[in-house]
Amino acid sequence: MARLTRRRLLELSALSGGATLLGGPAAASTPGAGSPRTLGPVVLEPDDPRYAELTTRGYNGRFTGSPDVVHLVGSAEQVVRAVEEAARGRRRVAVRSGGHCFENLVDDPAVRVLIDVSEMTEVSYDPRRRVFAVEAGATLGRVYRTLYLGWGVTLPGGGCPAVGVGGHVAGGGYGALSRRYGLVVDHLHGVEVVVTDPAGRARLVTATRDSTGAERDLWWAHTGGGGGNFGVVTRYLFRTPGAAGGPAELLPRPPGATRSMSLGWRWQDLDRAAFTRLLRAHGDWHHRHIGSDSPYGELSSGLTLGHRANGLITVDAALDAAHPRAGELLDAFAAGLTGAAGAPHTSTSTTTPWLKSVLGGVQWPGGARFKSKSTLLRKPWDDRQIGVLHDHLSRGGAEFATAAVYLTFLGGRINDVPSEATAMPHRDCLFSAVHEALWGEEEQTGRQLAWVRDLYRELHADTGGVPVPNDANSGAYVNYPDNDLANPRLNTSGVPWSTLYHRDLYARLRRVKERWDPLDLFHHALSVRPPGAEPSSSP
């Protein structure tokens, strides 16, 4: 076997339905299949030197947990045992996949048991069920690489290859291909999840789109209800609804290459009027092209408003390089923005093989302190909000050079799905906005938090300091958790955080919670609460 060429391995895999390529046999992920495992159970307590490796790998340097025990698991059976042990002692459980949680939902001092699934990384094709099986510890980069090299398919997920699928999928998952193919969960056929009963007995349940009753509700809750709510996901099962044929037809096919362009403006070249013209033109243009039927229905686009101390404002956009009008469309898009700003700018363009475009970027390794706040916009910022952005991004000195506001174009196929079809209800949005402060030194924490909180409050001054759902706002994105939304001193709207994240789907999520996590082992400051329960511990 060692002498076989990679090409021959691909050919053999295709003949066998793809089950043996890269991710290993589909049966290897099936509990009880008898396949050997090289990992686990690994049970670590604070006196083990490995404990620190797993309790300090969170993305946000503001938080470090101190659980009594860490279970590094390698199989669903090990997860069942770990959950049942925690249930016997009624000890609060948290789960870590990629470690990218923005808040201390995992690294909470109240968490007593941490289940780390980061070694469960298999990506494979199951020919019997005609699904792609992705273990919850796999990173997006691993998923993209394996699905594409193995079968020429992908999922329309996020742009950070180091993010784990465990939490990304649970919150909905969007990325550069989402205007073309929808959210990741629009392709979620099933979920394998460890849950408990009222007696504390744990078991592995497979819930799919085709299930009925409580099992189908469990599948639905994992299509946008957020992580850390119902149990421990061990595997996700993917197949696009209605897809037929072999594995190469069961998920979206990415472009062979992407044609991208980047525009840049220096703060020093933009006065307040030019800044306003640029943002107004940017918002109006995207609002006109929100639909999947637009000539720009497949365009991915992002705006980065760096702080004045950073010096730059950039717009990036990309289309399938095979689109017959890709160059013409991108040039027209650029001309509209640069003409409106009327200020000096830079412009670059490139064509890149698709896989390199999603794996090749320089990724921030994490570990610094940061605070992110989310808004899902139905309409562009108005002139008052543009003024707030201009003034606030000009406020403060060099220590705010890494602060920024990021705007990502949504719409397209995302908005073609009914809001109740999945647990991700925000199917009428134009943009996802992230407002972020990032810093290194602990002594900066108070000033940095004040900066980003003041910006957010001023942007939403008309609705109690938060994006209350209305004609301009849809709420906030659950994958960008923000404990401030549950703090009545910072959210003065009278609208609970649960409405901002889940809109009118929260009641259904609470019923799923009651059925599948009756002991409330899995909870955090922003978790779904069972009917009649008090809110989780104050952030």
Side-chain angles (χ1 to χ4, degrees):
M1 178 65 75
R3 295 185 180 182
L4 289 175
T5 67
R6 182 174 183 81
R7 181 180 181 85
R8 183 57 180 154
L9 281 171
L10 293 173
E11 292 169 351
L12 290 173
S13 176
L15 290 172
S16 64
T20 61
L21 177 66
L22 299 178
S29 291
T30 305
S35 298
R37 287 282 183 177
T38 59
L39 175 83
V42 178
V43 182
L44 306 175
E45 296 182 348
D47 60 351
D48 191 300
R50 295 171 293 176
Y51 174 93
E53 295 289 339
L54 297 181
T55 55
T56 60
R57 73 177 187 88
Y59 203 53
N60 195 336
R62 293 172 58 205
F63 311 113
T64 300
S66 55
D68 298 330
V69 62
V70 178
H71 293 267
L72 182 64
V73 292
S75 69
E77 299 96 323
Q78 293 173 26
V79 176
V80 169
R81 292 195 293 271
V83 170
E84 192 156 285
E85 178 184 310
R88 282 199 302 268
R90 301 298 192 265
R91 295 194 291 172
R92 180 169 157 189
V93 179
V95 188
R96 174 167 281 155
S97 175
H100 285 66
C101 185
F102 286 2
E103 290 282 10
N104 63 337
L105 308 188
V106 174
D107 292 318
D108 188 316
V111 169
R112 302 273 46 88
V113 177
L114 176 62
I115 298 177
D116 190 305
V117 301
S118 60
E119 291 297 315
M120 296 178 64
T121 62
E122 185 178 73
V123 179
S124 59
Y125 178 66
D126 182 341
R128 179 177 62 85
R129 291 190 285 185
R130 296 178 58 251
V131 296
F132 289 94
V134 177
E135 288 190 314
T139 63
L140 290 176
R142 169 71 186 272
V143 172
Y144 298 154
R145 179 178 173 83
T146 302
L147 290 181
Y148 184 62
L149 294 181
W151 298 275
V153 298
T154 193
L155 291 169
C160 180
V163 166
V165 299
H168 184 70
V169 176
Y174 71 82
L177 291 177
S178 288
R179 282 182 48 78
R180 184 173 184 174
Y181 293 124
L183 301 176
V184 172
V185 294
D186 296 334
H187 306 271
L188 181 66
H189 176 75
V191 59
E192 295 177 1
V193 54
V194 176
V195 296
T196 57
D197 64 18
R201 292 184 294 268
R203 63 192 176 105
L204 182 68
V205 173
T206 299
T208 75
R209 183 185 294 271
D210 298 331
S211 298
T212 59
E215 283 76 17
R216 193 178 196 282
D217 283 343
L218 182 62
W219 164 81
W220 175 86
H222 284 87
T223 62
N229 282 303
F230 310 104
V232 183
V233 174
T234 58
R235 291 204 302 178
Y236 291 108
L237 310 175
F238 293 102
R239 184 176 71 226
T240 300
E249 286 75 48
L250 299 183
L251 283 177
R253 298 187 70 86
T258 58
R259 181 161 181 166
S260 59
M261 51 144 286
S262 181
L263 304 173
W265 292 264
R266 296 184 303 173
W267 266 97
Q268 67 190 56
D269 295 327
L270 292 171
D271 58 17
R272 186 186 183 96
F275 180 91
T276 301
R277 291 194 303 270
L278 173 60
L279 265 62
R280 188 185 293 154
H282 179 275
D284 290 346
W285 186 96
H286 286 82
H287 196 255
R288 290 196 304 273
H289 295 285
I290 186 173
S292 57
D293 58 349
S294 162
Y296 292 89
E298 299 178 359
L299 180 85
S300 64
S301 167
L303 166 69
T304 300
L305 299 175
H307 191 276
R308 183 179 288 273
N310 171 277
L312 291 176
I313 292 172
T314 59
V315 171
D316 298 284
L319 281 168
D320 185 339
H323 191 296
R325 298 177 57 207
E328 173 191 345
L329 290 171
L330 288 173
D331 288 346
F333 170 70
L337 297 188
T338 57
H345 68 278
T346 60
S347 177
T348 59
S349 62
T350 186
T351 298
T352 308
W354 175 78
L355 190 61
K356 283 185 170 59
S357 75
V358 295
L359 299 183
V362 176
Q363 297 296 322
W364 175 55
R369 298 170 175 86
F370 70 89
K371 175 68 176 180
S372 292
K373 302 176 75 65
S374 163
T375 302
L376 291 169
L377 292 164
R378 286 171 162 160
K379 291 183 178 180
W381 290 308
D382 60 27
D383 284 354
R384 183 195 70 80
Q385 292 173 312
I386 291 173
V388 168
L389 288 162
H390 178 273
D391 294 346
H392 213 87
L393 288 165
S394 302
R395 189 179 303 167
E399 68 179 308
F400 298 103
T402 50
V405 176
Y406 305 95
L407 205 63
T408 301
F409 193 22
L410 299 180
R413 295 294 180 189
I414 299 172
N415 291 8
D416 290 346
V417 176
S419 62
E420 71 280 0
T422 67
M424 202 287 193
H426 306 282
R427 299 293 188 154
D428 51 6
C429 294
L430 173 63
F431 292 122
S432 170
V434 174
H435 325 74
E436 185 171 89
L438 185 150
W439 64 100
E441 301 301 324
E442 175 64 30
E443 62 89 18
Q444 295 183 28
T445 297
R447 297 189 298 278
Q448 297 281 352
L449 288 176
W451 183 90
V452 71
R453 285 170 172 165
D454 288 348
L455 169 62
Y456 197 70
R457 184 179 62 250
E458 291 178 30
L459 283 173
H460 304 297
D462 298 336
T463 53
V466 297
V468 172
N470 57 20
D471 63 341
N473 305 312
S474 183
Y477 182 39
V478 72
N479 269 0
Y480 302 151
D482 176 9
N483 286 347
D484 291 353
L485 299 183
N487 187 331
R489 292 185 295 103
L490 300 172
N491 174 3
T492 61
S493 69
V495 176
W497 62 265
S498 54
T499 298
L500 301 178
Y501 285 126
H502 305 296
R503 303 253 296 262
D504 57 357
L505 301 182
Y506 187 58
R508 184 178 177 186
L509 288 169
R510 298 186 80 182
R511 294 192 294 272
V512 178
K513 175 74 170 181
E514 182 179 38
R515 169 64 176 81
W516 293 103
D517 184 21
L519 300 179
D520 199 21
L521 289 180
F522 303 95
H523 66 268
H524 50 72
L526 299 172
S527 62
V528 175
R529 307 300 296 138
E534 294 297 320
S536 297
S537 56
S538 177

